[in-house]
Amino acid sequence: MSAAMRASGKGVVVLSCSDPRLNPYQILGLDHTLKATMVRNAGGRVFDAIRTLATLQTIGAPGTIVVMHHTDCGLTHYHDRDIKDALLQFAPADAHDLIEATRFGEIIDVEDSIREDVAILKASPLIKNSTRIVGLSYDINTGILSEVK
Ligand SMILES: [Zn+2]
């Protein structure tokens, strides 16, 4: 991937999970000479990164957006119901409807979540049609990175 990026001269935005076990620069073989911008959130989910991804492409000119999710992600173990129940424990009563209505990004199957997020980006009117969207699955145990189509 880094060789292709170097050749194109275009930047890449990498959306990945905020899990501290992940080092996207190392996983993707990126260094400071490449125009790589990191966006991280719980699970690396697109739906709460869309504002940032849309904004970044108006400031820079990323040729590629990478969506990278990983095995053993917290969101594969801790689902929306668990998160809602935990939040309901301390949130004031007037926030309960908001909590129930919020999607927290649970991941049932890593490849499915990557496909869903790639599809959201491809369908988004806020992302240029010319932007290449790449979905990657990272196996945190083996270190194997695979493209998800
Ligand atoms: Zn994760």
Side-chain angles (χ1 to χ4, degrees):
M1 157 169 262
S2 56
M5 284 169 52
R6 210 178 292 281
S8 76
K10 288 194 172 172
V12 61
V13 176
V14 179
L15 170 63
S16 62
C17 184
S18 48
D19 190 314
R21 297 173 294 172
L22 296 184
N23 180 339
Y25 290 97
Q26 182 186 50
I27 292 167
L28 298 170
L30 303 171
D31 63 42
H32 68 281
T33 64
L34 289 162
K35 295 179 213 158
T37 302
M38 296 296 152
V39 178
R40 302 183 73 171
N41 67 28
R45 298 310 308 259
V46 160
F47 64 89
D48 70 335
I50 197 83
R51 180 198 66 84
T52 299
L53 296 173
T55 302
L56 286 173
Q57 68 173 358
T58 69
I59 296 169
T64 304
I65 297 174
V66 171
V67 176
M68 182 169 69
H69 297 174
H70 68 100
T71 62
D72 196 37
C73 185
L75 289 179
T76 65
H77 304 297
Y78 203 57
H79 292 158
D80 277 26
R81 187 68 259 158
D82 305 307
I83 296 164
K84 289 177 186 186
D85 287 345
L87 293 172
L88 290 169
Q89 295 293 313
F90 66 83
D94 62 359
H96 289 192
D97 287 348
L98 171 67
I99 291 168
E100 289 294 351
T102 299
R103 187 177 173 200
F104 289 96
E106 67 185 7
I107 294 173
I108 307 298
D109 178 274
V110 173
E111 292 197 2
D112 285 348
S113 68
I114 293 166
R115 284 191 196 97
E116 179 183 10
D117 284 2
V118 167
I120 290 169
L121 287 175
K122 285 183 174 172
S124 174
L126 303 179
I127 302 298
K128 291 178 191 162
N129 287 333
S130 57
T131 302
R132 190 170 152 238
I133 313 292
V134 178
L136 298 176
S137 174
Y138 179 67
D139 188 315
I140 207 160
N141 295 312
T142 64
I144 293 172
L145 186 66
S146 27
E147 184 166 1
V148 175
K149 301 210 175 192

